[in-house]
């Protein structure tokens, strides 16, 4: 049985969306970020990223982590590549070239997009998009995203999806990272194939189910 550790309001969205796409049964343990609790190590505190029971599973104290019949894996993008290969059929790689491309896109979004995109999503979540300081930070991040977004735009202007002309784990991984930049509408509008691909991915029933559960999650 697959167990997914991590609340919806975290990078566990990536794994929970993937599990919905796969239609597999899983057990969900909503481990919360320690920073959201006043006293994460207090007796009786809910299970969180600093709980000894959790750091025994993931010494980084980060979510998500999975336990698949005793096989423990962390790093959201690696988890999705594993699940795609094990359970994925069409969502997973059909050969070595596809597998390598899926790894390429996962590393590309993690190293070239996530840091700056996260600055945009954090500014939006904290209501700082319109303040002078917030605007300066967001515009600087958006400027640095233009190059990787242009690379994605070039790929997606030739093909509806990133690998094998079909929706795969590569799209889930990349869409969940690109989503962090979504509050910056001009950046998305300047890259219409990226914008339309992201909306196409987010229109999928499995994303919608995950997103609804996330909205209804009580923290
Ligand atoms: N590179 C890791 C990052 C995981 C990560 O940083 N997760 C955050 C939540 S989105 C976390 O667990 N933070 C720990 C905390 O805030 O206590 C991944 O993609 O899985």
């Amino acid at each position: 049985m697959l167990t997914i550790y991590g609340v919806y309001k975290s990078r566990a969205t990536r794994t929970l969306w993937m599990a919905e796409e796969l239609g597999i049964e899983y057990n969900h343990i909503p481990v919360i970020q320690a920073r959201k609790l006043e006293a994460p190590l207090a007796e009786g505190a809910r299970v969180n990223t600093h709980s000894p029971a959790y750091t025994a599973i993931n010494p980084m104290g980060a979510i998500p982590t999975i336990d698949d019949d005793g096989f423990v894996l962390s790093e959201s993008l690696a988890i999705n590549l594993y699940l795609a290969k094990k359970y994925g059929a069409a969502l997973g790689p059909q050969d070595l070239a596809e597998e390598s491309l899926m790894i390429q896109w996962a590393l590309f979004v993690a190293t070239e997009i996530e840091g700056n995109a996260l600055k945009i999503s954090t500014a939006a979540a904290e209501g700082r998009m319109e303040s002078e300081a917030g605007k300066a930070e967001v515009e600087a991040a958006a400027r640095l995203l233009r190059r990787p977004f242009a690379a994605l735009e070039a790929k997606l202007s030739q093909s509806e999806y990133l690998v094998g002309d079909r929706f795969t784990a590569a799209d889930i991984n990349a869409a969940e990272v690109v989503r962090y930049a979504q509050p910056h509408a001009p950046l998305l509008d300047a890259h219409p194939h990226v914008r339309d691909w992201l909306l196409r991915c987010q229109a999928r029933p499995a994303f919608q189910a995950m997103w609804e559960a996330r909205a209804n999650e009580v923290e």
Side-chain angles (χ1 to χ4, degrees), residues 151-190:
L152 269 183
E153 180 72 10
K155 171 65 194 169
L156 292 167
S157 63
Q158 285 167 2
S159 154
E160 296 239 302
Y161 295 105
L162 292 174
V163 175
D165 276 324
R166 64 184 194 283
F167 179 81
T168 69
D171 298 291
I172 297 179
N173 279 347
E176 276 297 89
V177 174
V178 171
R179 173 166 66 78
Y180 293 153
Q182 215 167 2
H184 198 297
L187 179 66
L188 272 295
D189 289 342

Short mmCIF file of all heavy atoms in Angstrom, two decimals, residues 151-190:
data_model
loop_
_atom_site.label_atom_id
_atom_site.label_comp_id
_atom_site.label_asym_id
_atom_site.label_seq_id
_atom_site.Cartn_x
_atom_site.Cartn_y
_atom_site.Cartn_z
N ALA A 151 12.40 28.93 -23.18
CA ALA A 151 12.76 27.55 -23.56
C ALA A 151 11.53 26.65 -23.52
O ALA A 151 11.30 25.83 -24.42
CB ALA A 151 13.84 27.02 -22.62
N LEU A 152 10.70 26.83 -22.48
CA LEU A 152 9.45 26.04 -22.39
C LEU A 152 8.51 26.41 -23.54
O LEU A 152 7.86 25.55 -24.13
CB LEU A 152 8.73 26.35 -21.07
CG LEU A 152 9.02 25.51 -19.84
CD1 LEU A 152 8.14 25.98 -18.70
CD2 LEU A 152 8.75 24.02 -20.12
N GLU A 153 8.44 27.71 -23.83
CA GLU A 153 7.56 28.20 -24.90
C GLU A 153 7.96 27.56 -26.24
O GLU A 153 7.11 27.13 -27.01
CB GLU A 153 7.65 29.73 -24.97
CG GLU A 153 6.79 30.40 -26.03
CD GLU A 153 5.30 30.38 -25.72
OE1 GLU A 153 4.91 30.01 -24.60
OE2 GLU A 153 4.52 30.71 -26.64
N ALA A 154 9.27 27.49 -26.47
CA ALA A 154 9.75 26.91 -27.74
C ALA A 154 9.30 25.45 -27.83
O ALA A 154 8.81 25.00 -28.87
CB ALA A 154 11.27 27.01 -27.81
N LYS A 155 9.43 24.70 -26.74
CA LYS A 155 9.02 23.29 -26.75
C LYS A 155 7.51 23.17 -26.96
O LYS A 155 7.03 22.39 -27.78
CB LYS A 155 9.45 22.63 -25.42
CG LYS A 155 8.92 21.24 -25.20
CD LYS A 155 9.49 20.27 -26.23
CE LYS A 155 8.70 18.96 -26.23
NZ LYS A 155 9.06 18.11 -27.38
N LEU A 156 6.76 23.98 -26.21
CA LEU A 156 5.30 23.81 -26.21
C LEU A 156 4.63 24.45 -27.43
O LEU A 156 3.44 24.25 -27.67
CB LEU A 156 4.71 24.36 -24.90
CG LEU A 156 5.11 23.50 -23.67
CD1 LEU A 156 4.80 24.24 -22.37
CD2 LEU A 156 4.40 22.15 -23.70
N SER A 157 5.40 25.20 -28.21
CA SER A 157 4.82 25.70 -29.46
C SER A 157 4.91 24.62 -30.54
O SER A 157 4.29 24.72 -31.59
CB SER A 157 5.51 27.00 -29.91
OG SER A 157 6.85 26.72 -30.17
N GLN A 158 5.69 23.56 -30.26
CA GLN A 158 5.83 22.47 -31.23
C GLN A 158 5.03 21.24 -30.85
O GLN A 158 4.82 20.34 -31.65
CB GLN A 158 7.30 22.07 -31.35
CG GLN A 158 8.09 23.09 -32.13
CD GLN A 158 9.59 22.89 -31.98
OE1 GLN A 158 10.04 21.96 -31.31
NE2 GLN A 158 10.34 23.77 -32.58
N SER A 159 4.64 21.17 -29.58
CA SER A 159 3.99 19.96 -29.09
C SER A 159 3.10 20.33 -27.91
O SER A 159 3.42 21.25 -27.16
CB SER A 159 5.12 18.99 -28.68
OG SER A 159 4.70 18.11 -27.71
N GLU A 160 1.97 19.65 -27.79
CA GLU A 160 1.01 20.00 -26.72
C GLU A 160 1.55 19.69 -25.33
O GLU A 160 1.12 20.28 -24.35
CB GLU A 160 -0.28 19.19 -26.91
CG GLU A 160 -1.01 19.49 -28.19
CD GLU A 160 -2.43 19.99 -27.90
OE1 GLU A 160 -3.18 19.26 -27.26
OE2 GLU A 160 -2.72 21.12 -28.33
N TYR A 161 2.45 18.70 -25.25
CA TYR A 161 2.98 18.27 -23.96
C TYR A 161 4.50 18.11 -24.05
O TYR A 161 5.06 18.17 -25.14
CB TYR A 161 2.30 16.96 -23.52
CG TYR A 161 0.81 17.16 -23.26
CD1 TYR A 161 -0.14 16.70 -24.16
CD2 TYR A 161 0.38 17.87 -22.15
CE1 TYR A 161 -1.50 16.92 -23.94
CE2 TYR A 161 -0.98 18.10 -21.93
CZ TYR A 161 -1.91 17.63 -22.82
OH TYR A 161 -3.24 17.86 -22.60
N LEU A 162 5.14 17.89 -22.90
CA LEU A 162 6.60 17.95 -22.88
C LEU A 162 7.30 16.71 -23.43
O LEU A 162 8.36 16.81 -24.03
CB LEU A 162 7.08 18.20 -21.43
CG LEU A 162 6.74 19.60 -20.89
CD1 LEU A 162 7.11 19.70 -19.41
CD2 LEU A 162 7.45 20.68 -21.69
N VAL A 163 6.70 15.54 -23.22
CA VAL A 163 7.38 14.30 -23.64
C VAL A 163 6.39 13.39 -24.38
O VAL A 163 5.27 13.16 -23.90
CB VAL A 163 7.95 13.54 -22.41
CG1 VAL A 163 8.55 12.19 -22.81
CG2 VAL A 163 9.02 14.38 -21.69
N GLY A 164 6.80 12.93 -25.55
CA GLY A 164 6.04 11.89 -26.25
C GLY A 164 4.69 12.32 -26.79
O GLY A 164 3.84 11.47 -27.04
N ASP A 165 4.47 13.64 -26.94
CA ASP A 165 3.20 14.14 -27.50
C ASP A 165 1.97 13.65 -26.75
O ASP A 165 0.91 13.46 -27.33
CB ASP A 165 3.07 13.75 -28.99
CG ASP A 165 3.79 14.75 -29.87
OD1 ASP A 165 3.77 15.95 -29.53
OD2 ASP A 165 4.38 14.32 -30.88
N ARG A 166 2.14 13.38 -25.45
CA ARG A 166 0.98 13.01 -24.63
C ARG A 166 1.22 13.54 -23.22
O ARG A 166 2.36 13.87 -22.86
CB ARG A 166 0.80 11.48 -24.60
CG ARG A 166 1.95 10.77 -23.93
CD ARG A 166 1.85 9.25 -23.96
NE ARG A 166 2.80 8.66 -23.04
CZ ARG A 166 4.11 8.56 -23.28
NH1 ARG A 166 4.62 8.98 -24.42
NH2 ARG A 166 4.92 8.03 -22.36
N PHE A 167 0.17 13.64 -22.41
CA PHE A 167 0.30 14.10 -21.03
C PHE A 167 1.04 13.03 -20.23
O PHE A 167 0.66 11.86 -20.25
CB PHE A 167 -1.10 14.34 -20.45
CG PHE A 167 -1.08 14.80 -19.03
CD1 PHE A 167 -0.85 16.13 -18.72
CD2 PHE A 167 -1.29 13.90 -17.99
CE1 PHE A 167 -0.82 16.56 -17.39
CE2 PHE A 167 -1.26 14.31 -16.67
CZ PHE A 167 -1.02 15.65 -16.37
N THR A 168 2.10 13.46 -19.54
CA THR A 168 2.89 12.50 -18.74
C THR A 168 3.29 13.12 -17.40
O THR A 168 3.00 14.29 -17.12
CB THR A 168 4.21 12.10 -19.45
OG1 THR A 168 5.08 13.25 -19.47
CG2 THR A 168 4.00 11.58 -20.85
N ALA A 169 4.02 12.32 -16.63
CA ALA A 169 4.57 12.79 -15.35
C ALA A 169 5.42 14.05 -15.54
O ALA A 169 5.49 14.89 -14.63
CB ALA A 169 5.42 11.69 -14.73
N ALA A 170 6.04 14.19 -16.69
CA ALA A 170 6.86 15.38 -16.94
C ALA A 170 5.99 16.64 -16.88
O ALA A 170 6.42 17.68 -16.36
CB ALA A 170 7.54 15.28 -18.30
N ASP A 171 4.77 16.54 -17.39
CA ASP A 171 3.86 17.71 -17.35
C ASP A 171 3.40 18.00 -15.93
O ASP A 171 3.31 19.16 -15.54
CB ASP A 171 2.66 17.45 -18.28
CG ASP A 171 3.11 17.26 -19.72
OD1 ASP A 171 3.56 18.25 -20.33
OD2 ASP A 171 3.04 16.13 -20.23
N ILE A 172 3.10 16.96 -15.16
CA ILE A 172 2.68 17.19 -13.77
C ILE A 172 3.80 17.91 -13.02
O ILE A 172 3.58 18.93 -12.37
CB ILE A 172 2.33 15.86 -13.06
CG1 ILE A 172 1.14 15.20 -13.76
CG2 ILE A 172 2.03 16.10 -11.57
CD1 ILE A 172 0.71 13.87 -13.15
N ASN A 173 5.00 17.38 -13.13
CA ASN A 173 6.12 17.98 -12.40
C ASN A 173 6.35 19.43 -12.84
O ASN A 173 6.51 20.33 -11.99
CB ASN A 173 7.39 17.16 -12.63
CG ASN A 173 7.46 15.93 -11.72
OD1 ASN A 173 6.69 15.83 -10.76
ND2 ASN A 173 8.36 15.02 -12.02
N ALA A 174 6.36 19.66 -14.13
CA ALA A 174 6.65 21.02 -14.60
C ALA A 174 5.49 21.97 -14.31
O ALA A 174 5.71 23.10 -13.87
CB ALA A 174 6.95 20.99 -16.10
N ALA A 175 4.27 21.49 -14.49
CA ALA A 175 3.11 22.37 -14.27
C ALA A 175 3.02 22.81 -12.81
O ALA A 175 2.66 23.96 -12.52
CB ALA A 175 1.82 21.66 -14.69
N GLU A 176 3.36 21.90 -11.90
CA GLU A 176 3.28 22.26 -10.48
C GLU A 176 4.36 23.25 -10.07
O GLU A 176 4.19 23.97 -9.08
CB GLU A 176 3.33 21.00 -9.61
CG GLU A 176 1.97 20.35 -9.45
CD GLU A 176 1.00 21.29 -8.73
OE1 GLU A 176 0.31 22.08 -9.42
OE2 GLU A 176 0.94 21.25 -7.49
N VAL A 177 5.45 23.30 -10.81
CA VAL A 177 6.48 24.31 -10.51
C VAL A 177 6.12 25.63 -11.21
O VAL A 177 6.17 26.71 -10.60
CB VAL A 177 7.87 23.80 -10.94
CG1 VAL A 177 8.92 24.89 -10.76
CG2 VAL A 177 8.25 22.57 -10.09
N VAL A 178 5.72 25.54 -12.47
CA VAL A 178 5.34 26.76 -13.22
C VAL A 178 4.15 27.45 -12.54
O VAL A 178 4.03 28.68 -12.57
CB VAL A 178 5.05 26.41 -14.69
CG1 VAL A 178 4.45 27.59 -15.44
CG2 VAL A 178 6.34 25.95 -15.38
N ARG A 179 3.27 26.67 -11.90
CA ARG A 179 2.11 27.25 -11.20
C ARG A 179 2.51 28.36 -10.23
O ARG A 179 1.77 29.32 -10.03
CB ARG A 179 1.33 26.15 -10.46
CG ARG A 179 0.21 26.66 -9.57
CD ARG A 179 -0.74 25.57 -9.14
NE ARG A 179 -0.18 24.56 -8.27
CZ ARG A 179 0.04 24.71 -6.96
NH1 ARG A 179 -0.25 25.84 -6.36
NH2 ARG A 179 0.54 23.70 -6.25
N TYR A 180 3.68 28.23 -9.63
CA TYR A 180 4.11 29.26 -8.67
C TYR A 180 4.25 30.64 -9.32
O TYR A 180 4.18 31.66 -8.63
CB TYR A 180 5.44 28.88 -8.03
CG TYR A 180 5.41 27.67 -7.12
CD1 TYR A 180 6.56 26.89 -6.94
CD2 TYR A 180 4.26 27.31 -6.44
CE1 TYR A 180 6.55 25.79 -6.10
CE2 TYR A 180 4.25 26.20 -5.60
CZ TYR A 180 5.40 25.45 -5.44
OH TYR A 180 5.40 24.35 -4.62
N ALA A 181 4.47 30.67 -10.63
CA ALA A 181 4.61 31.97 -11.32
C ALA A 181 3.28 32.47 -11.86
O ALA A 181 3.20 33.59 -12.40
CB ALA A 181 5.61 31.84 -12.47
N GLN A 182 2.23 31.68 -11.70
CA GLN A 182 0.94 32.01 -12.32
C GLN A 182 0.35 33.35 -11.85
O GLN A 182 -0.33 34.00 -12.65
CB GLN A 182 -0.06 30.86 -12.06
CG GLN A 182 -1.01 30.62 -13.19
CD GLN A 182 -1.76 29.28 -13.03
OE1 GLN A 182 -1.57 28.56 -12.03
NE2 GLN A 182 -2.57 28.94 -14.01
N PRO A 183 0.59 33.79 -10.62
CA PRO A 183 0.04 35.10 -10.24
C PRO A 183 0.60 36.25 -11.09
O PRO A 183 0.03 37.34 -11.09
CB PRO A 183 0.47 35.27 -8.77
CG PRO A 183 0.71 33.88 -8.28
CD PRO A 183 1.23 33.12 -9.48
N HIS A 184 1.70 36.03 -11.81
CA HIS A 184 2.27 37.09 -12.66
C HIS A 184 1.68 36.95 -14.07
O HIS A 184 2.30 36.34 -14.95
CB HIS A 184 3.80 36.96 -12.68
CG HIS A 184 4.48 38.21 -13.15
ND1 HIS A 184 4.31 38.73 -14.41
CD2 HIS A 184 5.32 39.07 -12.51
CE1 HIS A 184 5.02 39.83 -14.53
NE2 HIS A 184 5.65 40.06 -13.38
N ALA A 185 0.49 37.51 -14.29
CA ALA A 185 -0.21 37.32 -15.57
C ALA A 185 0.61 37.79 -16.77
O ALA A 185 0.64 37.08 -17.79
CB ALA A 185 -1.57 38.00 -15.52
N PRO A 186 1.31 38.93 -16.70
CA PRO A 186 2.06 39.36 -17.89
C PRO A 186 3.13 38.35 -18.32
O PRO A 186 3.37 38.17 -19.52
CB PRO A 186 2.70 40.69 -17.46
CG PRO A 186 1.84 41.18 -16.34
CD PRO A 186 1.34 39.94 -15.64
N LEU A 187 3.76 37.68 -17.36
CA LEU A 187 4.78 36.68 -17.71
C LEU A 187 4.13 35.52 -18.47
O LEU A 187 4.64 35.06 -19.48
CB LEU A 187 5.46 36.16 -16.43
CG LEU A 187 6.54 35.10 -16.64
CD1 LEU A 187 7.75 35.66 -17.38
CD2 LEU A 187 6.98 34.50 -15.29
N LEU A 188 2.97 35.09 -17.99
CA LEU A 188 2.27 33.98 -18.66
C LEU A 188 1.75 34.44 -20.03
O LEU A 188 1.87 33.71 -21.02
CB LEU A 188 1.12 33.47 -17.78
CG LEU A 188 1.45 32.36 -16.76
CD1 LEU A 188 1.85 31.08 -17.46
CD2 LEU A 188 2.54 32.73 -15.78
N ASP A 189 1.22 35.66 -20.08
CA ASP A 189 0.67 36.14 -21.36
C ASP A 189 1.76 36.32 -22.41
O ASP A 189 1.50 36.22 -23.61
CB ASP A 189 -0.08 37.46 -21.15
CG ASP A 189 -1.39 37.23 -20.40
OD1 ASP A 189 -1.85 36.05 -20.35
OD2 ASP A 189 -1.95 38.19 -19.84
N ALA A 190 2.98 36.60 -21.96
CA ALA A 190 4.08 36.75 -22.91
C ALA A 190 4.55 35.38 -23.44
O ALA A 190 5.35 35.33 -24.37
CB ALA A 190 5.25 37.47 -22.23
#
